[in-house]
Each structure stands twice: as structure tokens, then as C-alpha cells.
């Protein structure tokens, strides 16, 4: 079998991973027959409009409302789509969340509520607790995103500042029967973390949220600190309002990595799946993976199969500069620096939703001459990394991966291809 052309091959692996998480492929199998009586469909996240499209493909027109990121809407038959801001919430998300809660108000025992949640829901579901303004939520969200805190920690804070997260959306629908379908974008696929768990009981406390903010050095506006000093509104596990709630994860990073691994093997490669739940600072993870790739290349026998290292999860960036970047582009740039032009190693790092950080760019590809081409153009790779300016760096090189909205979200996808020396 012919050896793969590295750039096209890496992109094909990414495309296969994204396709495996398309709600139009995965959602229908988790739907019951359409219930008799009143059905209300609500949801939020970057994939929520696509999920709603899959619901209506199976059930026909439905009544409801989903909130998705700007540019991620779909033409639906009955369910209304509202587009709002991500990753920092805006007034459109706040107004749509209020309407969603009104839609659920008055649901009875004979009603059925279908909730569609995917990555991004934490920012798109906006219902600040008493005493907080939207501007306070925007400030704390931006500060959390810049802190380097993992998504589980960020979402713990968000739950205690919200009237809809941490089981409160399910409580609003009580006593209706409720089914929540989730697409996981978090390491470990914990439903309580996905979208800040709007249908899942929450056992953490405001004191734990305060400790997270202190640990990560997050500047806390006075209204936020005051809100976290008051009793929480999250719904504890075992609360009777959750008794008629069922939750299913319908797509997750492991499935997408498995699909990419199968394709790589079909193309004649040896595959190592490093994990679907890798977390940590993007640049540090890149250094560790570079060490692993170089060791595998050194020990690889002449004429042996190409090796592909696959991984997923959610990396973070602690912002110290003012550039344009994201975890995947920062990983790629740090990996290029750590590999230092090693021949025969190519890599791709992208976010499966097509948006890396706040940029409308999925991620980047690196090749053995990435650093040489950059320096020939007068670019400073180490300086770009220090300034958190990886997207500008790869844009100058023409090595960005731009997909537009993929309409799904199972988080980071990384593939490192190791061929000859």
C-alpha cells in the first residue's frame, strides 16, 4: 500500500473524526418513538441546532427552542433557533434562556421534554443569579477562560452563578418526563460537566467555587463574590425534581478517535491512541508528545509501517500575551518548536467544532520545515508562542485548517504522523 501524503492524510483523519460525531448519524438511535401528547424540545450548544435537525428528521416538526453559536444555526421545521455569543455570553443568549425557561414553565406530568446539550452550552445558557448582571457574567467568563483552569473547574463556578445550570433546567421542567441527549466535549464525558450539567444534580458548594477562583488567580468582581457567599440554587443529586429525568451521551471523543484510528489502519499505518481525555497546558502537553514521537521515530525499524499517534481531550492556555491563539494552534506551535525540524514527523491539531479558542479556525498543521519557512519569512516562532499568537503565525505560513462550523463538538483532535527519518 502506498504511503500517505502527510497533509492530505492528516486532514482525512480529522474529517473522519468529525463525521463520526455528526448528530445526523448518531442521534436517531437514542430517540424513543415520538411520545403521545405535548412534546417540548429545548437545548443549547454549538451542535444543538444540528441535533434539533436530527430530531425533526425522525419525529417531524416539533415545538421548542435551541440556542447555538453565531453561524451554527440550521433551517428547522418547527423548533426555533436563536444564535448567541460564545465563549463569552451576550444579551441574545440571556434573552433566549429566559424564553426557554418560560417555555418549560407549566409543564405537567403528561408532557415530554427533550433536552439537547453540546459543548458551548455553558456560555449560551445565560441566566445570572439574583444580584448579577450580564456584564458580571461576561467578566468572570473571560477571566476563567484566560486563567488556564480546566473545564470542570470553570463549570463548577458557572453553576453557582446561574439559575439554569447544575440541574436547574430539569427542575424547571418538573414534573414532566425529561430525556437529555448530550454530545460530550469534556474529558471523561461526565454529564455533570457537559454544558455545566443543566439536567444533572450538583453536589459542589459555593465555597468550592470560591476556592477554584482563588486557586487559579481569577480576578473576581464584587457582585460575583457576593453571589458566591449566598446559598446556591443548584439542584442536589437525589432531589425529587430529577426523578423523571434520563440522560444519555450520544457522541464522545472516544468514538471519533476510533473512527480516525480505523481509517489510519486502512491506509497502512500502525496506530497508537494516547487517550481521549488528555488535559493540561497546551505547550507542556506538546513537549511531552514531541518526546514520545522522537523516541518512536528513533526506534522505528527501516521500512516499518508509518506510525500515527492519536489523542483527544481538552487542553488549556494560560494567556500571558495579547495575540490571537487557541489551544490547538498553541499545541501545534509548541510541538514544532520541540521537534525542531525533525524529518519525517508531521502533525495536525484541531478543534472538532471548527473553532479553536475564539478564532474561526479549527487549528493547524505542522511539517518538518515549518520552523525553517517561518524564519525565512522573518517570523519568530518562540516569540509567537510567548505572545499566545499561534493563529497569526500559522496564518502567515498558510498552515491553518479552516472548516467553518462543523455542527458538532467532541473537543480537541490531534494526530502525529511518524514516517522515515
Amino acid at each position: 500500500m502506498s504511503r500517505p501524503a502527510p497533509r492530505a492524510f492528516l486532514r482525512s483523519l480529522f474529517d473522519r473524526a468529525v463525521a463520526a460525531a455528526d448528530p445526523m448519524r448518531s442521534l436517531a438511535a437514542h430517540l424513543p418513538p415520538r411520545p403521545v401528547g405535548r412534546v417540548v424540545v429545548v437545548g443549547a450548544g454549538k451542535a444543538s441546532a444540528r441535533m434539533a435537525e436530527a430530531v425533526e428528521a425522525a419525529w417531524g416538526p416539533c415545538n421548542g427552542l435551541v440556542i447555538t453559536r453565531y453561524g451554527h444555526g440550521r433551517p428547522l421545521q418547527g423548533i426555533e433557533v436563536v444564535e448567541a455569543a460564545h465563549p463569552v455570553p451576550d444579551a441574545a443568549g440571556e434573552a433566549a434562556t429566559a424564553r426557554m425557561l418560560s417555555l418549560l414553565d407549566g409543564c405537567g406530568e403528561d408532557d415530554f421534554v427533550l433536552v439537547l446539550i453540546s459543548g458551548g452550552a455553558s456560555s449560551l445558557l445565560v441566566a445570572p443569579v439574583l444580584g448579577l448582571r450580564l456584564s458580571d457574567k461576561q467578566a468572570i467568563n473571560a477571566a476563567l477562560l484566560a486563567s488556564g483552569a480546566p473545564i470542570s473547574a470553570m463549570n463548577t463556578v458557572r453553576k453557582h452563578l446561574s439559575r439554569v445550570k447544575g440541574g436547574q433546567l430539569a427542575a424547571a421542567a418538573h414534573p414532566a418526563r425529561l430525556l437529555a441527549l448530550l454530545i460530550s466535549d469534556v474529558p471523561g464525558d461526565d454529564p455533570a460537566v457537559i454544558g455545566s450539567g443543566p439536567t444533572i444534580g450538583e453536589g459542589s458548594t459555593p465555597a468550592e467555587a470560591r476556592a477554584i477562583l482563588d486557586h487559579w488567580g481569577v480576578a473576581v468582581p464584587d457582585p460575583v463574590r457576593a453571589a458566591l457567599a449566598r446559598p446556591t440554587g443548584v439542584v442536589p443529586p437525589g432531589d425529587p425534581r430529577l426523578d423523571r429525568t434520563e440522560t444519555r451521551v450520544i457522541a464522545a471523543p472516544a468514538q471519533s478517535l476510533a473512527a480516525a484510528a480505523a481509517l489510519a489502519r486502512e491506509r497502512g499505518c500502525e496506530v497508537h491512541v494516547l487517550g481521549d481525555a488528555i488535559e493540561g497546558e497546551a505547550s507542556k502537553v506538546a513537549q511531552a508528545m514531541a518526546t514520545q514521537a522522537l523516541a518512536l521515530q528513533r526506534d522505528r525499524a527501516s521500512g516499518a509501517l508509518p506510525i500515527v499517534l492519536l489523542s483527544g481531550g481538552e487542553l488549556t492556555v494560560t494567556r500571558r500575551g495579547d495575540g490571537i491563539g487557541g489551544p490547538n494552534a498553541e499545541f501545534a506551535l509548541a510541538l514544532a518548536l520541540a521537534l525542531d525540524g525533525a524529518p519525517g514527523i508531521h502533525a495536525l491539531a484541531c478543534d472538532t467544532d471548527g473553532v479553536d479558542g475564539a478564532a474561526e479556525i479549527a487549528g493547524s498543521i505542522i511539517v518538518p520545515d515549518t520552523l525553517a519557512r517561518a524564519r525565512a519569512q522573518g517570523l519568530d516562532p518562540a516569540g509567537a508562542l510567548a505572545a499566545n499568537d499561534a493563529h497569526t503565525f500559522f496564518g502567515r505560513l498558510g498552515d491553518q485548517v479552516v472548516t467553518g462550523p462543523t455542527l458538532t463538538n467532541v473537543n480537541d483532535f490531534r494526530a502525529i504522523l511518524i514516517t522515515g527519518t
Side-chain angles (χ1 to χ4, degrees):
M1 183 175 295
S2 62
R3 296 296 169 87
R7 285 178 180 266
F9 173 66
L10 290 169
R11 178 59 190 268
S12 72
L13 296 182
F14 174 59
D15 291 343
R16 179 66 64 88
V18 170
D22 185 346
M24 294 299 284
R25 296 188 179 194
S26 60
L27 188 142
H30 297 273
L31 282 176
R34 180 165 180 160
V36 177
R38 183 181 180 224
V39 174
V40 179
V41 180
V42 296
K46 298 176 193 175
S48 63
R50 182 68 161 176
M51 295 171 79
E53 185 177 19
V55 170
E56 292 195 328
W59 279 359
C62 296
N63 177 46
L65 169 67
V66 296
I67 311 169
T68 194
R69 191 179 192 268
Y70 289 117
H72 291 238
R74 298 295 293 167
L76 302 182
Q77 302 172 58
I79 301 168
E80 181 183 356
V81 177
V82 175
E83 297 185 354
H86 176 277
V88 177
D90 68 357
E94 184 177 32
T97 303
R99 290 176 53 211
M100 183 182 295
L101 291 171
S102 295
L103 191 61
L104 295 176
D105 186 39
C107 282
E109 289 186 4
D110 295 331
D111 297 329
F112 183 89
V113 176
L114 180 66
V115 180
L116 309 173
I117 299 294
S118 67
S122 292
S123 298
L124 295 164
L125 285 173
V126 192
V129 295
L130 184 67
L132 283 193
R133 299 168 298 176
L134 175 62
S135 58
D136 298 319
K137 291 292 292 287
Q138 291 170 326
I140 199 68
N141 259 37
L144 282 166
L145 290 164
S147 71
I151 187 64
S152 57
M154 287 194 285
N155 285 359
T156 296
V157 175
R158 288 163 161 165
K159 291 175 186 182
H160 293 285
L161 299 175
S162 172
R163 292 182 290 109
V164 70
K165 302 176 175 71
Q168 294 178 86
L169 185 70
H174 181 77
R177 185 159 64 95
L178 184 149
L179 172 63
L181 301 182
L182 281 55
I183 294 181
S184 173
D185 70 327
V186 303
D189 306 328
D190 183 351
V193 180
I194 301 167
S196 296
T199 65
I200 304 296
E202 176 60 29
S204 69
T205 66
E208 291 175 67
R210 295 195 300 270
I212 288 168
L213 295 170
D214 291 342
H215 176 79
W216 291 97
V218 177
V220 183
D222 288 341
V224 170
R225 193 168 295 280
L228 292 176
R230 295 191 289 266
T232 186
V234 301
V235 180
D239 189 286
R241 291 171 292 174
L242 304 178
D243 284 350
R244 304 191 73 204
T245 297
E246 179 186 357
T247 299
R248 302 177 189 171
V249 176
I250 67 166
Q255 297 163 341
S256 288
L257 288 184
L263 177 59
R265 293 187 183 102
E266 290 172 11
R267 300 286 179 85
C269 296
E270 176 185 335
V271 178
H272 298 228
V273 178
L274 305 181
D276 62 14
I278 294 173
E279 296 182 273
E281 189 77 16
S283 58
K284 293 181 179 179
V285 174
Q287 292 166 8
M289 288 192 183
T291 299
Q292 186 171 3
L294 290 168
L296 285 168
Q297 185 190 59
R298 182 185 63 244
D299 297 338
R300 178 177 169 272
S302 176
L305 296 177
I307 300 171
V308 174
L309 306 182
L310 296 175
S311 62
E314 182 165 58
L315 304 183
T316 54
V317 171
T318 303
R319 286 193 62 85
R320 298 181 176 88
D322 59 358
I324 302 172
N328 288 283
E330 187 142 321
F331 171 90
L333 180 50
L335 184 68
L337 284 162
L339 292 172
D340 195 25
I345 302 180
H346 303 71
L348 173 148
C350 289
D351 199 311
T352 53
D353 64 8
V355 182
D356 183 36
E360 302 297 317
I361 298 156
S364 307
I365 289 178
I366 66 165
V367 297
D369 69 350
T370 291
L371 299 184
R373 287 186 294 118
R375 289 166 179 148
Q377 292 187 35
L379 301 177
D380 176 8
L385 184 62
N388 302 120
D389 202 24
H391 279 310
T392 301
F393 175 87
F394 286 112
R396 292 277 298 276
L397 291 180
D399 287 340
Q400 293 175 320
V401 177
V402 181
T403 61
T406 65
L407 307 178
T408 191
N409 184 14
V410 288
N411 230 310
D412 299 341
F413 174 87
R414 293 174 296 273
I416 301 174
L417 173 65
I418 305 165
T419 58
T421 57

